[in-house]
Structure formats: structure tokens, C-alpha cells
Amino acid sequence: MNAESVTIELPSASIRPWDQLLHDVRELEQQFDTQIALYMQYVRPTHNQPSNDPQCTHLESKLQTILDDLQSVISEMTETVHTNRGSRRVLERHQSMFHDYEREFQRYKQNVRATAKRTELNGAEVERDRMVEERGRIDQAHTDIDMVLENAFAVHGELTQQRSVIGGATAKLVDVSERIPGINMLLGRIRSRKRREKVVLAIVISACTCILLFVLT
């Protein structure tokens, strides 16, 4: 009697038990949830958490490593399901979650890049505005200096004109003062002549009065 040959399919040594794979995949998913929550703070950074913080780059690297490990575990789960030693429905759920994690990570990473770029542009714009403001102050200072110089030149011109007028008046006063001695001499002669005339007139009047009195007596 010929014995029938029975083939027994042994589990591959490279594939871990299903329970171990479920434990690993859940632990990696929890790690991803924790790290992505920390990474989200860089989407809208505060002044204490800039987008170019080295910690941000470290989180990105850590999240990518978790996704790579998660993909490896899911690949093992896929092989296990193919050997009918795992649940296809559980595998599909974790595959769907993995794809959601990938899309979420890529979206947040793009937002972080955009935030970093926007922060850089805002910084450049602030610096440009500061330079424009500084340039405006310099221009205003130059304008004020020009006005001061213009007023100074105007005052200098007025002073020069006044000095010319005063010089002319001074020259006239000198000329008049040079002529005053002759005028004073002429006035003195006129006053002397009037005094003589008064004296003569007084003598004549006295003589006439005396004659009249003599005649009347």
C-alpha cells in the first residue's frame, strides 16, 4: 500500500507572527500621531518657534523614519495575509491609515515650507521698509539742511545790502559833517550882523527920543 505524500506549509522564518505585526503597527501609528502633533506647531510658527528651527528638521526626519518603518510592517502584514494567516480587513484598515498619514505629512510639510518662505519674505519686506524709512529720514535731513543754507544765504544777502546802504549813509554823513563848519561860520556872521543892526537901531531910537524930549522941554 502506497503511502500518500502530505505537504505541510510551514510559516516562513522571515515573516513575524501576526500578533507581533499588529503590535508594531499600532505602536508606530501612535508614535506618528504624537510626532505629527509636535510638527503641526511649525505650520504657524510663533516668534519662539521659527520654521527654520533645527528641531523642525529633526521632527521631519523622525516622521519620515516612522512612515518608512510603518510601510515595512504593513508589507509584512500583506505577506502574512497572502499566506492566510492574517485578517485582510485589518490589513486594509492599516493600509488606509498609512496612506492618510503620508498625505497628512506631505501637506503639513508643504505648509511648513510655505510658512518659512513667507516668514523670509516678510523679514525681507520689513528690512526693505526700514531702509526706505531710513532713506526718507536722510532725504528729509538733506531738505532741512538745504532750507537752512538757503535762509542763511538770503540773510547774508540782506545783510550785505544793508551794509551797502549803511555805508552810503555814512558817506553822506561824513560829507555833511565836512560841510558843517562853513555853514556854522555863515550862520555866525548872520547872527553878528543882526546884533550890530539891533545895536545901531537902539542907538538911533535913543537919540531920537533924546532930541524929542529936548524939543518938548
Side-chain angles (χ1 to χ4, degrees):
M1 183 175 179
N2 295 333
E4 293 182 357
S5 63
V6 178
T7 303
I8 299 176
E9 185 177 7
L10 298 176
S12 174
S14 62
I15 299 178
R16 293 177 294 164
W18 179 255
D19 292 341
Q20 181 64 43
L21 294 174
L22 286 178
H23 174 271
D24 291 348
V25 76
R26 289 168 182 167
E27 184 177 354
L28 288 170
E29 288 170 353
Q30 290 178 357
Q31 291 180 15
F32 181 86
D33 290 337
T34 301
Q35 298 302 319
I36 199 68
L38 296 175
Y39 185 66
M40 286 173 60
Q41 66 185 337
Y42 293 98
V43 176
R44 293 180 179 178
T46 64
H47 64 281
N48 294 324
Q49 296 169 334
S51 300
N52 58 355
D53 192 326
Q55 181 65 20
C56 178
T57 304
H58 175 71
L59 281 173
E60 287 183 358
S61 177
K62 194 169 185 178
L63 283 166
Q64 187 61 54
T65 300
I66 293 173
L67 288 175
D68 293 340
D69 293 342
L70 189 58
Q71 186 177 26
S72 298
V73 175
I74 290 176
S75 297
E76 289 187 62
M77 294 175 67
T78 302
E79 293 181 10
T80 303
V81 169
H82 288 165
T83 60
N84 297 322
R85 290 184 291 114
S87 171
R88 181 174 296 277
R89 182 172 296 179
V90 173
L91 171 63
E92 290 176 351
R93 181 169 63 85
H94 287 290
Q95 285 177 332
S96 177
M97 291 177 63
F98 171 74
H99 293 314
D100 290 342
Y101 287 159
E102 279 191 319
R103 287 192 294 269
E104 184 180 16
F105 179 52
Q106 293 301 322
R107 184 174 68 255
Y108 285 150
K109 188 160 64 173
Q110 290 176 359
N111 290 339
V112 168
R113 296 290 184 273
T115 300
K117 186 65 175 178
R118 187 166 54 252
T119 302
E120 181 181 354
L121 292 176
N122 289 340
E125 185 175 354
V126 169
E127 181 64 18
R128 184 190 62 187
D129 292 342
R130 188 190 67 79
M131 293 180 65
V132 170
E133 184 179 355
E134 183 67 21
R135 181 62 183 176
R137 287 198 295 266
I138 293 174
D139 291 341
Q140 184 62 40
H142 288 168
T143 301
D144 294 341
I145 292 173
D146 290 340
M147 291 180 62
V148 171
L149 291 176
E150 183 178 353
N151 292 333
F153 283 125
V155 171
H156 180 267
E158 292 178 359
L159 291 176
T160 301
Q161 184 177 3
Q162 290 177 5
R163 184 172 61 184
S164 176
V165 172
I166 293 173
T170 302
K172 291 181 180 180
L173 289 175
V174 172
D175 183 59
V176 170
S177 64
E178 292 176 351
R179 297 179 181 179
I180 284 177
I183 294 175
N184 290 335
M185 185 179 297
L186 178 61
L187 291 175
R189 291 177 181 177
I190 292 173
R191 284 194 294 271
S192 298
R193 184 175 179 180
K194 285 183 178 181
R195 282 196 299 270
R196 287 195 301 268
E197 290 177 353
K198 287 180 181 180
V199 171
V200 171
L201 180 61
I203 293 172
V204 171
I205 292 173
S206 297
C208 293
T209 302
C210 290
I211 295 170
L212 181 63
L213 290 174
F214 179 76
V215 171
L216 291 175
T217 58

